[in-house]
Amino acid sequence: NAGVTQTPKFRVLKTGQSMTLLCAQDMNHEYMYWYRQDPGMGLRLIHYSVGEGTTAKGEVPDGYNVSRLKKQNFLLGLESAAPSQTSVYFCASSREADNSPLHFGNGTRLTVT
Amino acid sequence: GDSVTQMEGPVTLSEEAFLTINCTYTATGYPSLFWYVQYPGEGLQLLLKATKADDKGSNKGFEATYRKETTSFHLEKGSVQVSDSAVYFCALNAGGTSYGKLTFGQGTILTVHP
């Protein structure tokens, strides 16, 4: 009963380094999302995907790239990390329906120094 | 664009007190409305939802009614427990071609003391 799994749970990067956050879901969901959570700002959508091989920009996409090569996986990349990208990142998935609830992973806490 | 505004927190209550967390929204069309809860160290979980005006969502003693006339979706619980301590997020789905994307409020931290 894994649901949505994110790796890693924690990471510290130096400015300019790159990394990839991994998200996997085992519910056969079509839609997947990456959000970032910052104090006092709620969750903001970075990128999303409506199916294998598709990606689209959300509210705050700059500095991030994504890929959805397999239906169950959604990868978030930071090519050149900046301190402003220090945040908690959440992956979520949902069925192909407007009112379907989002299922969230437990988050990745990223610190960029 | 779409937006969600929640009451300022944090909210601190004693066990068995009445809880209200206010939420108002701005959206074109007819959004669906949600409350999510985040316990420490975890991701968000759906608490309740309402998909049309006058619908009441309920779960675990929590309730919220979709009020189109006041564009509100306030969360209430008659008697809170220590285990309700968490962060609560109001959110909307604009529908149409939104592909399930949610717009979140800023979150309200609730702490319940014994």
Side-chain angles (χ1 to χ4, degrees):
Chain A
N1 222 15
V4 178
T5 303
Q6 292 183 233
T7 54
K9 290 184 171 52
F10 303 94
R11 185 73 186 268
V12 178
L13 289 179
K14 295 187 188 306
T15 298
Q17 288 184 319
S18 63
M19 78 163 294
T20 300
L21 281 65
L22 309 179
C23 176
Q25 52 96 3
D26 61 2
M27 297 170 284
N28 201 35
H29 284 169
E30 286 294 332
Y31 297 171
M32 296 187 75
Y33 314 85
W34 277 106
Y35 285 88
R36 59 177 288 173
Q37 182 181 23
D38 302 292
M41 302 187 73
L43 279 77
R44 292 179 293 167
L45 182 65
I46 304 171
H47 286 280
Y48 65 101
S49 167
V50 300
E52 181 179 317
T54 75
T55 63
K57 293 180 180 180
E59 182 185 352
V60 289
D62 294 342
Y64 305 94
N65 56 76
V66 288
S67 64
R68 182 105 182 262
L69 298 180
K70 294 183 179 180
K71 186 176 182 179
Q72 63 267 34
N73 297 335
F74 195 29
L75 279 60
L76 177 71
L78 286 73
E79 289 187 349
S80 180
S84 61
Q85 294 177 304
T86 293
S87 187
V88 181
Y89 292 85
F90 286 98
C91 177
S93 70
S94 72
R95 291 188 297 111
E96 186 180 352
D98 275 342
N99 297 321
S100 292
L102 268 60
H103 296 258
F104 284 84
N106 285 343
T108 295
R109 183 174 295 276
L110 174 66
T111 301
V112 183
T113 61
Chain B
D2 302 330
S3 67
V4 176
T5 302
Q6 290 180 233
M7 65 183 290
E8 293 286 335
V11 175
T12 302
L13 295 173
S14 297
E15 207 164 24
E16 300 183 3
F18 184 84
L19 169 71
T20 299
I21 301 178
N22 289 340
C23 171
T24 58
Y25 68 90
T26 303
T28 54
Y30 302 95
S32 295
L33 301 174
F34 303 81
W35 277 100
Y36 280 80
V37 59
Q38 182 182 31
Y39 298 104
E42 298 183 9
L44 281 71
Q45 305 172 25
L46 177 67
L47 181 58
L48 53 85
K49 70 177 185 182
T51 58
K52 60 183 187 297
D54 300 325
D55 268 2
K56 177 186 283 187
S58 61
N59 185 27
K60 300 181 181 180
F62 291 90
E63 293 182 339
T65 301
Y66 187 165
R67 302 285 188 202
K68 194 171 190 305
E69 63 276 14
T70 55
T71 62
S72 64
F73 193 53
H74 305 321
L75 182 68
E76 297 182 336
K77 187 175 185 183
S79 177
V80 294
Q81 305 301 311
V82 172
S83 57
D84 294 326
S85 298
V87 184
Y88 292 82
F89 291 93
C90 186
L92 72 81
N93 175 333
T97 57
S98 67
Y99 299 111
K101 300 192 303 291
L102 292 180
T103 299
F104 285 90
Q106 66 269 42
T108 301
I109 299 172
L110 171 66
T111 302
V112 181
H113 292 298

